[in-house]
Amino acid sequence: MFSLGSWLPALPGLSWGWALLNALLQGLVGACAVSVLCSLLKVYVYIQCMNNPERQAEKEAIAAQRPLLELLHVLVLTGVLALVGSRVAALVVLEFSLRAVSTILSLGKGAHSSQLYLLCQYSLGCGVSCGLSFLLEGAPHRSWNLVLAAGLSGLLALHARRLARHVCTLYELHSRARYCGVCILLLAAGHGIPRLLRNALALTFTVADLAAVELINRDFLSTGEAVRFWTPLTICYTLLVVYMQEESRQSTGRGLVFRTVMVRMGGLFILLLTVGRWTDILHVFVSLLGELWCLVCSGVLLESCWRQ
């Protein structure tokens, strides 16, 4: 077996080119994971709206979403995830994990929030990218592994999108006629989609958190440097979680979500001004664009979750 570039001559910019290719492939895998999440949530929310006569307008809005916008979402998110550095991506993953645990505990045992699944889109992409960076670090066939991962994730995202399109177009007819196996399965077990997503996300973020901690710690030469970084980070994230919990009790809606994104990224920006590098500051702005892009693209689903 040969690596992807083993047969090419050693040129000055070649290693940079392979690094860019690997970053794009990692970003594509993360974007496909986000696409699968959105497609399954779209199926679940559409079925819930169809079963409620008062939510017919929401059902029509979900069904009216254009496939080209979904493709554009994946392409833009791929570019954003490829640009974000591993340190900032790791910090985004850790921040969301802390926020998710706090939200789940506040919801109570056995409860779930579809809105939380939508808010984790960008963090999920960063988590997949961090996990791949950690698991494939030093692998002799890294590029080939990423090509395989991108192909498999692309197929999975494509089938999930086809499922969502099938449900939005034919589920209402097929669920009544009872002659489509996919729609019959969703009719019987569609309520289990949130549990499936919860288990998959829990596993993904567990691996991502371990990878994120390792990716951050490898930059420190001593324990003192690590303590000087982790102490303000822990305090900052704890204050952010407390603030967001208070805000969620006082107000809801689109304004709260966008305000929360600005506060989170602002806190991360101030933190990295003191303990980060100049490239980290640039990556924070890229992350802000990624978060806002994901929220804008899932605006219809977010509205439906708020009303629910």
Side-chain angles (χ1 to χ4, degrees):
M1 291 289 294
F2 295 94
S3 62
L4 195 60
S6 61
W7 51 274
L8 293 174
L11 300 176
L14 194 58
S15 59
W16 182 87
W18 290 125
L20 177 61
L21 175 62
N22 291 339
L24 287 172
L25 291 174
Q26 285 182 191
L28 179 59
V29 176
C32 288
V34 174
S35 178
V36 172
L37 172 68
C38 293
S39 296
L40 292 180
L41 277 175
K42 186 175 182 180
V43 170
Y44 173 73
V45 175
Y46 183 88
I47 293 175
Q48 295 298 310
C49 292
M50 202 201 74
N51 295 332
N52 189 345
E54 299 178 358
R55 303 178 64 184
Q56 296 304 305
E58 299 174 42
K59 183 193 73 172
E60 295 174 0
I62 294 173
Q65 290 183 297
R66 299 178 180 178
L68 287 179
L69 293 180
E70 297 175 358
L71 178 60
L72 180 63
H73 183 201
V74 172
L75 294 177
V76 172
L77 194 55
T78 297
V80 170
L81 292 174
L83 290 174
V84 173
S86 59
R87 277 167 60 92
V88 173
L91 292 174
V92 170
V93 170
L94 293 175
E95 185 273 333
F96 175 79
S97 299
L98 181 61
R99 182 159 45 102
V101 170
S102 175
T103 302
I104 291 172
L105 292 177
S106 66
L107 287 173
K109 185 178 180 181
H112 71 273
S113 173
S114 299
Q115 181 177 335
L116 182 63
Y117 298 144
L118 289 172
L119 297 181
C120 83
Q121 292 179 69
Y122 182 72
S123 301
L124 173 62
C126 289
V128 172
S129 181
C130 284
L132 288 173
S133 296
F134 176 70
L135 295 174
L136 297 178
E137 187 174 11
H141 308 295
R142 177 187 178 94
S143 298
W144 284 117
N145 292 332
L146 287 172
V147 168
L148 178 60
L152 293 176
S153 60
L155 286 175
L156 186 60
L158 179 62
H159 284 293
R161 227 165 54 190
R162 285 179 176 175
L163 173 64
R165 195 177 305 121
H166 176 85
V167 168
C168 292
T169 306
L170 300 171
Y171 178 80
E172 189 171 2
L173 173 63
H174 288 176
S175 60
R176 294 174 181 173
R178 304 292 179 92
Y179 62 80
C180 174
V182 173
C183 295
I184 292 175
L185 178 62
L186 290 173
L187 184 65
H191 61 277
I193 291 178
R195 183 173 63 254
L196 172 65
L197 292 176
R198 182 172 65 248
N199 295 336
L201 289 173
L203 177 61
T204 301
F205 277 102
T206 299
V207 176
D209 288 337
L210 296 175
V213 172
E214 179 61 28
L215 289 173
I216 293 174
N217 283 336
R218 71 181 181 183
D219 294 330
F220 302 128
L221 299 177
S222 64
T223 305
E225 291 184 6
V227 171
R228 284 194 296 271
F229 181 85
W230 285 107
T231 300
L233 177 67
T234 304
I235 295 174
C236 177
Y237 279 2
T238 302
L239 293 176
L240 281 175
V241 169
V242 172
Y243 169 79
M244 285 182 287
Q245 288 294 332
E246 291 297 325
E247 280 287 302
S248 63
R249 294 190 186 99
Q250 297 175 7
S251 60
T252 58
R254 183 185 295 269
L256 172 64
V257 174
F258 284 97
R259 188 164 62 249
T260 299
V261 171
M262 299 300 294
V263 171
R264 286 169 40 225
M265 290 301 167
L268 187 59
F269 174 79
I270 295 173
L271 174 67
L272 292 176
L273 277 177
T274 58
V275 296
R277 310 179 184 129
W278 70 268
T279 52
D280 295 334
I281 305 302
L282 177 62
H283 293 155
V284 169
F285 287 107
V286 175
S287 294
L288 175 61
L289 294 177
E291 288 271 14
L292 295 177
W293 174 256
C294 289
L295 292 178
V296 169
C297 291
S298 59
V300 174
L301 291 177
L302 276 173
E303 289 283 354
S304 182
C305 291
W306 290 328
R307 294 174 183 176
Q308 182 180 0

